[in-house]
């Protein structure tokens, strides 16, 4: 077991948080910075919380190098609500449509939700191949030339373990990126995006807050007749307090931004560590390929979610049972695809990845003749 008798948590989300963040939140929990009440209890309009909100917004701006041309919103409803809000806010005329790259379950759900009531175009889909690869450079170029109102993609597909290694960009239209599972894990060229959004519970905080970074000129696309909560412009004008915001989740996100900046040295250093962690597991998979079969094509492998299968369901269940006994939790693959999924987000220490790699080697040695 690790420090505080905690397991190494490989869950895809809600995921582990950095220990220094949890420790600071514990220390401040009952009496938040001398104000006599918990962060869970103080008013969202108090000076104490406004300072937290401003600090979290500035932390995200600084890490992403987002200038004043971008607004940072703290919303609720997760990615599911963004699937609807994006077409509602960005499609201005009946001729406008959103163009979608479908590389896994979450971009597929976004496309399906947008198609329910809005014009859409499916530019590319990896469904026929089980979402194990990404579009080629030629296919991405064709997508960037689409006559669309926006181009939508998911930077990292949590379930299938495929990840774009470069930010995409449309030649003319704004690019919309669901970055939920690799947000703040690496540098991003924010100038390539019109909207970049993320549910916080992978790398940026606890479940309950969705962070939306939106170019300010796109706020003017929001129709006046949209219901209030669905209108990005309303949230921007209300300083992310159109309704009572998720105060505790925003507070933790602020602490995560501080940790990334002061302790990890920024997103470049975080990205290097994440690449080193994923390399440990992919090397093990490749070296023991008669036991472990990776799902994603090598060129599309995710640094956040390492997905692989074992030769049988019995071996898979044994792997999960024994790994849990070793303090390695949350390794069962998503129910829709099975297998194993090791989510190694920012807060997963290198020691946890080494522990998993060592367990994979031990399991292989003990079971390679029983496949």
């Amino acid at each position: 077991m690790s420090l505080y008798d905690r397991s190494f948590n490989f869950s895809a989300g809600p995921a582990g948080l950095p220990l220094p963040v949890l420790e600071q939140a514990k220390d401040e929990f009952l009496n938040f910075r001398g104000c006599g009440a918990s962060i869970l209890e103080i008013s969202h309009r108090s000076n104490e919380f406004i300072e937290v909100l401003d600090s979290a917004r500035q932390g995200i701006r600084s890490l992403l190098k987002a200038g004043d041309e971008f607004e940072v919103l703290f919303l609720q409803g997760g990615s599911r609500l963004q699937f609807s809000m994006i077409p509602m806010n960005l499609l201005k005329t009946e001729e406008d449509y959103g163009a979608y790259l479908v590389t896994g379950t979450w971009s597929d759900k976004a496309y399906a939700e947008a198609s329910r009531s809005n014009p859409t175009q499916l530019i590319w889909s990896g469904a026929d191949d089980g979402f194990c690869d990404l579009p080629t450079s030629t296919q991405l170029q064709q997508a960037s030339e689409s006559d669309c109102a926006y181009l939508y993609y998911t930077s990292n597909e949590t379930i299938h373990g495929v990840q774009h290694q470069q930010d995409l960009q449309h030649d003319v239209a704004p690019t919309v990126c669901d970055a939920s599972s690799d947000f703040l894990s690496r540098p991003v060229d924010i100038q390539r995006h019109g909207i970049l959004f993320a549910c916080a519970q992978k790398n940026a905080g606890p479940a309950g807050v969705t962070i939306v970074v939106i170019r300010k000129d796109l706020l003017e696309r929001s129709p006046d007749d949209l219901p209030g909560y669905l209108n990005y412009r309303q949230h921007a004008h209300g300083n992310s307090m159109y309704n009572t915001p998720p105060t505790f989740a925003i507070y933790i996100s602020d602490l995560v931004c501080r940790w990334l900046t002061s302790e990890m040295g920024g997103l470049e250093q975080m990205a290097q560590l994440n690449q080193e962690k994923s390399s440990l597991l992919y090397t093990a998979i490749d070296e023991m390929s008669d036991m472990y079969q990776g799902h994603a094509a090598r060129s599309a492998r995710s640094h956040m979610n390492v997905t692989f299968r074992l030769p049988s369901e019995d071996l898979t269940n044994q792997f999960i049972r024994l790994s849990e006994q070793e303090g390695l939790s949350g390794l069962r693959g998503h129910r829709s695809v099975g297998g194993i999924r090791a989510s190694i987000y920012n807060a997963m220490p290198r020691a946890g990845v080494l522990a998993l790699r060592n367990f994979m080697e031990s399991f292989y040695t003990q079971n390679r003749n029983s496949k």
Side-chain angles (χ1 to χ4, degrees):
M1 285 289 201
S2 54
L3 190 63
Y4 298 119
D5 201 30
R6 289 165 54 86
S7 65
F8 288 118
N9 177 17
F10 293 93
S11 171
L17 287 162
L19 272 178
V21 168
L22 293 175
E23 288 170 336
Q24 182 171 349
K26 174 177 68 72
D27 291 342
E28 296 182 331
F29 190 74
L30 292 179
N31 186 353
F32 179 66
R33 299 176 188 174
C35 72
S38 171
I39 183 68
L40 290 170
E41 301 169 305
I42 63 175
S43 168
H44 62 291
R45 299 195 181 278
S46 65
N47 290 335
E48 290 83 0
F49 177 71
I50 297 299
E51 288 180 4
V52 169
L53 181 67
D54 290 343
S55 177
R57 181 181 291 113
Q58 184 54 43
I60 291 166
R61 283 189 183 281
S62 177
L63 287 165
L64 296 181
K65 298 180 171 60
D68 290 340
E69 69 272 28
F70 287 91
E71 187 71 60
V72 178
L73 306 176
F74 297 95
L75 307 183
Q76 292 163 286
S79 61
R80 300 278 188 165
L81 185 57
Q82 293 308 304
F83 296 165
S84 299
M85 286 182 69
I86 286 159
M88 287 179 175
N89 283 266
L90 296 188
L91 301 181
K92 295 184 66 176
T93 71
E94 294 182 357
E95 291 74 31
D96 286 345
Y97 65 90
Y100 284 73
L101 295 169
V102 174
T103 53
T105 296
W106 292 110
S107 50
D108 190 40
K109 290 181 182 294
Y111 171 67
E113 183 64 24
S115 299
R116 287 165 57 89
S117 56
N118 300 277
T120 56
Q121 181 182 32
L122 180 61
I123 296 290
W124 186 90
S125 174
D128 290 344
D129 295 322
F131 295 125
C132 65
D133 211 343
L134 296 170
T136 65
S137 57
T138 299
Q139 291 165 330
L140 289 175
Q141 180 58 38
Q142 292 171 346
S144 74
E145 295 169 353
S146 170
D147 187 23
C148 57
Y150 64 88
L151 175 66
Y152 184 103
Y153 77 104
T154 299
S155 54
N156 182 78
E157 290 283 0
T158 318
I159 292 174
H160 296 90
V162 298
Q163 182 181 32
H164 291 277
Q165 297 304 323
Q166 294 182 331
D167 303 306
L168 305 190
Q169 184 175 24
H170 191 276
D171 289 347
V172 178
T175 299
V176 177
C177 178
D178 176 357
S180 289
S181 53
D182 61 1
F183 185 61
L184 302 185
S185 72
R186 59 181 182 176
V188 169
D189 185 353
I190 195 63
Q191 298 300 326
R192 288 175 171 257
H193 299 89
I195 297 177
L196 186 144
F197 73 89
C199 307
Q201 67 266 20
K202 315 291 188 179
N203 282 307
V209 62
T210 303
I211 298 163
V212 178
V213 183
I214 180 170
R215 217 170 61 212
K216 287 181 178 179
D217 65 289
L218 296 180
L219 296 172
E220 301 310 313
R221 291 197 188 185
S222 300
D224 292 334
D225 60 355
L226 268 184
Y229 196 87
L230 299 177
N231 190 314
Y232 285 132
R233 191 169 66 248
Q234 291 275 28
H235 291 288
H237 288 172
N239 192 30
S240 292
M241 291 193 288
Y242 179 76
N243 68 315
T244 302
T247 54
F248 184 76
I250 293 171
Y251 159 67
I252 297 295
S253 293
D254 178 37
L255 297 187
V256 169
C257 288
R258 292 168 181 254
W259 172 78
L260 281 166
T261 301
S262 62
E263 297 197 33
M264 302 309 297
L267 298 189
E268 290 81 3
Q269 289 76 10
M270 192 73 251
Q272 181 178 344
L273 176 58
N274 285 329
Q275 290 170 16
E276 292 172 357
K277 291 188 301 184
S278 65
S279 179
L280 288 170
L281 298 185
Y282 287 125
T283 298
I285 290 170
D286 293 340
E287 290 178 347
M288 296 175 280
S289 58
D290 54 332
M291 174 69 75
Y292 306 118
Q293 301 91 43
H295 175 79
R298 293 195 181 199
S299 61
R301 284 172 165 175
S302 168
H303 296 306
M304 297 282 96
N305 310 99
V306 178
T307 54
F308 58 96
R309 292 182 176 276
L310 282 79
S312 70
E313 192 65 22
D314 285 344
L315 279 172
T316 300
N317 290 333
Q318 184 180 353
F319 182 99
I320 292 168
R321 177 174 57 81
L322 293 176
S323 65
E324 288 175 347
Q325 293 176 8
E326 296 298 318
L328 310 173
S329 65
L331 284 167
R332 186 177 293 277
H334 190 269
R335 59 188 178 277
S336 65
V337 298
I340 303 296
R341 173 176 56 179
S343 297
I344 50 175
Y345 301 125
N346 287 352
M348 172 57 66
R350 191 173 186 273
V353 178
L354 282 171
L356 175 56
R357 192 223 31 205
N358 293 342
F359 173 78
M360 292 171 67
E361 292 174 346
S362 174
F363 188 88
Y364 174 79
T365 300
Q366 295 171 19
N367 295 278
R368 59 184 170 184
N369 295 323
S370 61
K371 301 190 292 296

